Amino acid sequence: MLAELGLAMLWLAAALAGLQLVAGSVALTKDGEGLGGIVRPVAVVQGVLAAAAFASLIWLFVQTDTSVKLVAENSHSAKPLIYKIAGTWGNHEGSMLLWVTVMGLAGGFVALVERRLPERTMMATLAGQAFVSLGFYAFLLFASNPFQRLNPAPQEGNGLNPLLQDPGLAFHPPTLYLGYVGLSIAFSFAIGALVTREVGPAFARAMRPWVLGAWIFLTLGITAGSYWAYYMLGWGGWWFWDPVENASLMPWLAATALLHSASVLAARNALRAWTVMLGVVAFSMSMVGTFLVRSGILTSVHAFAVDPRRGGFILALLAINIGAALVLFALRAGTVTEGERFEVTSREASLVFNNVMLSSILGIVLLGTLYPLVTEAMGVKVSVGPPYFTPMSAVFAVPMLVVLAIGPLLRWRHDRFKRVSPVLAAPLAVTIIAAIGFAVGGVTSTMSLIALSLAPGLAVASVLPLRGRHLGRAPLSLWGMVIAHLGLAVALFGMGADGAFTKERLIAARVGESVDVGPWQVKLGAITPVAGPNWTALEADLVASYDGASPDHLKPQSRTFWAPPQTTSVSALHTRWNGQLYTVLGEETHDASSAAMPTGRWQLRLWWKPFVPMIWLGGILVALGGFLALLSRVRQDLKRRTVRARGDIRRGDREEREAA
C-alpha cells in the first residue's frame, strides 16, 4: 500500500508542477495576474509531496519490501541499516527520485523565502522551474517508476553492489545532487530574468546565494567522491579523469565562473549577458552529466541504467530544456546590454579573465569526455586520459592561478598595476624559491614542479587582502574569499606532492616478512578470517613503523560478499601530518607449476603518499570559504529585511497618527 501511496504522491506532485507552469505563465499576462497568487503555495506543496514520496521509498528499503521491484533488485535484509537507507539512491530510479525531490524542495524554498525580485520575474522563474521539473517527473513516471511491484515477490533481495556499501554512499550522491539541482534554480532565475528583461544587480543578488549554495555542495560532493574512490577502489589514485568524474567537474567549473560573474553583476552592474549565459551553461553541464551517467553509454559503478530508452528520454530533456533556453537567450540577447564598463587593470577584468580560463578548461574537459563516445558510436575506440587532460587543462589553469593571486588586490573599475606590484613581491619570491628548491631537490615531473612552485606563492597571495586590516572586523565575505583561495593552494600542493614524492611497492610476502616503502617498514604479522553482517573476509595485520618509531597496526581486508556475490579489497590507511600510508591486501599467490598449490605468500600493495591528504583538506577549505561567504550574504539580507520591516512599521504608525 505504501508503494501505491508513494506513486500517487508522485503523480500529484507532477500535476502541481503542471499547474505551477500554467499559472506562472498566465500570471505574466495582463489579464492573468490574479493567478499569480497560487503559484508560490503550489510550488511549496509540490516540494512537500515529492519529499513524502521519497520518504515512502526510503521506508520500503528499510523494511526490505521485496514486493517492490527496485527494493528486490538493490537491497537485502542482511544489510546494515545505513546501507538500506543509502541504497535508496544507490540505483537509477531511486537516484532520479532523489533528484526530483531536491528540485521540488528547492523550488518550494525559493517560493517561500525569495522576495527581492519583482513579482513578475518570480512568476517567470517559478514557471521555468516547473517546466524543468515536469520533464523529470515524466521521466520517472513513464520510464523509471521506482514503485513498480513484483508479483510474485521474491523471498530475498539481490543486495547492493559491494562497492557502494560504504558510508560514502550516504554523503556523496546527496551533496552532488544538491549542487546539480541548485544550479537548476540559477537556470530558472536566468530564464525568469530573460522573460521579463530584468537582468540587473537585483537579479544577480537574488541568484547569487543559490549559486553559492550549489557550488558549496558540488565542492563537498566532488571532494568526498574523490576520497571515497581513493580509499575504496584500492589503486591509490584520487582522480583519473574518468567520464563520470568529469561529469561532476564540468558543472563545478561552470558554477565557479557563474559565481564570480554574478558577483561582478551584483557589485558593478556589468557582465549581464555573460552571467545569464553562464546560468544556462552551468545547468546544461548538470544535464550532460546526468545523461552520461544515466543513459547507459558508460560502464561504471555509477552507470545504473543500461536501457537506451532511458538514455533517449534524458537526451530529449536535455535538448528541450537547453534548446529552449538558448532560443530565448538568442531572442532576448539584444535587449540585455553588458552594463557598466571597466578598465583592463581592475578587479572586474581579472574576474573576466579567470572566467574565460574556467570556460576554456570546461571546454577541454567536455571535448575529452565526449570525443571517445562519438568515435565509439562510429565504430572506432579511442581512449582519452591524463596525458590529454592534465597538460591541456594546465595551459589555462596556470595563468588563471596567477591572476587569482593578483585579482583580489585590485580595485573595482580602475587601478594601477604599479600600486599592487610591491605587495606581490612576497608571493613572487616564495614561488621562485619553491621552484628552485624543488628542482634542486629532485622533482623532475613538470606538472608536479609547477604545482609545488605555484602553491606556496598562491597561499601567501591568498592572505594578502587581510593585510593592514583588523582581523576581527574584516568582513565575513572577505574571510570566505581568503579561505577559499587558500584552500586551492593547499589542494594544489597536495596534488603536486602526490605526483612528485609517492613511493609504491607491489610484493608477495609471507607472514613474518618485512618490506620498506619510503620511510616506512611494514611487516606482515598475520592473516586471519573475519566476518561482517553480509560478508566474510581475510584480514591482514600489518605492523608498520615510521622511521624506526613505535609501530602502528593496519588491517586491510579482502572481502567476499554473498548478495550479490563479489570480492572487493578494503584498504587500510594510516595518516600522519606529512602524508598517508596506504595498504591493500590481495590474494594468496599459487605455485607456477600447480595453480592449486598455495605458496603462503600474500600480495600486498603499499604506497607512501607524502602530503596527499592536503588535496581533500584543500577541498574542505574551499567549501568552508564558500560557506562563510554564503553566511555573510544571508546575514546582510536578513539585516536588510529587518530594516525594511521596521521602516514599514514606522511608516504605518505615522500614517495612522496622521489619519487620526
Side-chain angles (χ1 to χ4, degrees):
M1 186 62 188
L2 187 59
E4 286 70 26
L5 184 62
L7 185 60
M9 287 189 286
L10 204 54
W11 272 104
L12 193 51
L16 288 179
L19 177 60
Q20 181 182 328
L21 171 61
V22 172
S25 303
V26 174
L28 296 174
T29 64
K30 189 175 290 184
D31 299 330
E33 290 179 355
L35 269 179
I38 69 168
V39 175
R40 288 179 186 265
V42 164
V44 173
V45 175
Q46 184 218 135
V48 171
L49 283 171
F54 187 62
S56 303
L57 188 63
I58 290 178
W59 188 248
L60 291 168
F61 267 84
V62 169
Q63 296 294 309
T64 318
D65 184 347
T66 54
S67 69
V68 176
K69 184 181 177 186
L70 190 65
V71 178
E73 290 179 345
N74 297 281
S75 194
H76 191 282
S77 60
K79 270 196 321 183
L81 179 62
I82 183 174
Y83 301 136
K84 287 183 180 177
I85 295 173
T88 309
W89 53 82
N91 55 78
H92 170 74
E93 290 83 354
S95 64
M96 293 312 298
L97 181 55
L98 173 61
W99 173 292
V100 166
T101 300
V102 177
M103 184 176 284
L105 288 175
F109 193 55
V110 169
L112 205 58
V113 305
E114 185 53 65
R115 306 285 173 180
R116 288 167 292 188
L117 286 177
E119 196 59 15
R120 287 191 79 248
T121 305
M122 271 307 299
M123 291 300 104
T125 299
L126 291 174
Q129 185 74 6
F131 181 76
V132 176
S133 298
L134 261 180
F136 282 96
Y137 280 123
F139 180 57
L140 267 177
L141 293 169
F142 297 119
S144 304
N145 177 11
F147 298 104
Q148 185 178 345
R149 289 285 192 184
L150 272 182
N151 190 16
Q155 290 292 317
E156 189 52 272
N158 294 337
L160 182 65
N161 184 336
L163 290 175
L164 299 178
Q165 294 189 38
D166 184 88
L169 181 63
F171 183 78
H172 170 59
T175 48
L176 270 188
Y177 277 23
L178 285 167
Y180 289 156
V181 176
L183 293 180
S184 79
I185 300 291
F187 175 81
S188 300
F189 271 117
I191 297 301
L194 276 176
V195 168
T196 58
R197 299 183 175 88
E198 295 281 353
V199 182
F203 151 73
R205 281 193 284 271
M207 181 177 69
R208 188 168 51 185
W210 300 98
V211 179
L212 195 48
W215 182 80
I216 293 168
F217 282 115
L218 275 178
T219 305
L220 287 174
I222 292 172
T223 303
S226 168
Y227 192 66
W228 182 12
Y230 167 76
Y231 72 76
M232 192 68 189
L233 297 182
W235 52 274
W238 53 272
W239 195 266
F240 197 64
W241 296 104
D242 176 88
V244 176
E245 293 175 326
N246 295 346
S248 65
L249 178 63
M250 289 186 289
W252 186 87
L253 290 168
T256 307
L258 173 60
L259 187 60
H260 290 86
S261 180
S263 295
V264 174
L265 179 53
R268 310 306 308 170
N269 193 17
L271 306 181
R272 293 177 180 173
W274 179 246
T275 303
V276 170
M277 176 53 81
L278 281 175
V280 174
V281 169
F283 184 57
S284 302
M285 291 301 104
S286 295
M287 294 282 292
V288 168
T290 304
F291 170 69
L292 289 174
V293 176
R294 297 289 179 264
S295 63
I297 62 174
L298 297 176
T299 302
S300 160
V301 69
H302 302 78
F304 305 124
V306 291
D307 180 358
R309 189 167 65 99
R310 292 173 174 173
F313 207 126
I314 298 176
L315 193 59
L317 285 182
L318 177 67
I320 292 170
N321 287 331
I322 307 310
L326 291 178
V327 168
L328 181 61
F329 181 81
L331 292 174
R332 294 294 168 88
T335 64
V336 181
T337 60
E338 272 306 316
E340 300 288 335
R341 302 274 180 181
F342 48 84
E343 296 192 8
V344 173
T345 313
S346 65
R347 187 177 294 190
E348 294 97 320
S350 70
L351 288 169
V352 169
F353 180 84
N354 275 359
N355 260 343
V356 173
M357 294 298 104
L358 283 166
S359 302
S360 301
I361 298 170
L362 171 59
I364 294 291
V365 177
L366 183 63
L367 180 64
T369 304
L370 296 183
Y371 180 69
L373 304 177
V374 173
T375 58
E376 188 170 347
M378 298 176 178
V380 181
K381 282 203 170 186
V382 175
S383 175
V384 179
Y388 160 79
F389 286 107
T390 305
M392 290 298 291
S393 300
V395 168
F396 300 99
V398 170
M400 182 190 75
L401 293 172
V402 172
V403 173
L404 186 148
I406 302 170
L409 302 173
L410 295 172
R411 291 171 177 158
W412 291 108
R413 192 173 294 177
H414 169 70
D415 205 344
R416 289 176 300 112
F417 190 72
K418 190 185 291 185
R419 186 187 68 80
V420 297
S421 54
V423 184
L424 292 171
L428 180 62
V430 170
T431 300
I432 293 172
I433 292 170
I436 295 173
F438 285 117
V440 172
V443 175
T444 55
S445 163
T446 305
M447 289 295 118
S448 296
L449 186 59
I450 291 173
L452 291 169
S453 305
L454 280 179
L458 181 59
V460 172
S462 298
V463 299
L464 284 179
L466 292 172
R467 78 190 192 288
R469 286 177 175 266
H470 187 291
L471 297 184
R473 294 176 186 166
L476 205 53
S477 57
L478 178 61
W479 275 108
M481 180 189 71
V482 167
I483 291 175
H485 289 178
L486 183 62
L488 275 181
V490 170
L492 186 64
F493 190 86
M495 296 172 195
D498 184 55
F501 306 126
T502 292
K503 304 292 183 188
E504 179 182 2
R505 293 292 304 273
L506 174 59
I507 61 163
R510 297 181 190 279
V511 172
E513 287 185 353
S514 297
V515 60
D516 293 334
V517 53
W520 289 89
Q521 185 178 63
V522 182
K523 177 183 173 184
L524 178 57
I527 298 285
T528 53
V530 294
N534 58 342
W535 51 263
T536 58
L538 290 172
E539 182 179 270
D541 178 21
L542 299 179
V543 186
S545 174
Y546 182 87
D547 208 16
S550 57
D552 296 290
H553 290 261
L554 289 87
K555 297 183 181 298
Q557 296 177 347
S558 177
R559 281 187 188 175
T560 301
F561 291 78
W562 60 77
Q566 188 172 329
T567 299
T568 63
S569 295
V570 179
S571 61
L573 285 68
H574 180 80
T575 304
R576 286 172 47 88
W577 68 271
N578 63 341
Q580 204 163 50
L581 178 65
Y582 187 120
T583 64
V584 176
L585 172 66
E587 297 178 349
E588 187 177 12
T589 60
H590 290 78
D591 193 278
S593 59
S594 171
M597 183 69 70
T599 63
R601 300 164 72 91
W602 294 85
Q603 294 175 347
L604 292 177
R605 296 191 72 169
L606 311 173
W607 286 272
W608 166 235
K609 291 177 163 292
F611 302 107
V612 72
M614 292 178 72
I615 296 173
W616 304 291
L617 173 63
I620 293 170
L621 285 175
V622 171
L624 175 62
F627 176 73
L628 292 179
L630 179 61
L631 196 60
S632 171
R633 305 293 176 205
V634 172
R635 280 175 54 182
Q636 288 175 15
D637 189 47
L638 288 176
K639 198 178 292 183
R640 200 175 297 120
R641 288 188 184 202
T642 304
V643 169
R644 193 182 303 134
R646 286 175 180 167
D648 290 343
I649 292 173
R650 289 198 194 99
R651 199 175 305 111
D653 291 344
R654 189 172 62 245
E655 288 173 359
E656 282 182 9
R657 283 197 300 272
E658 289 173 357

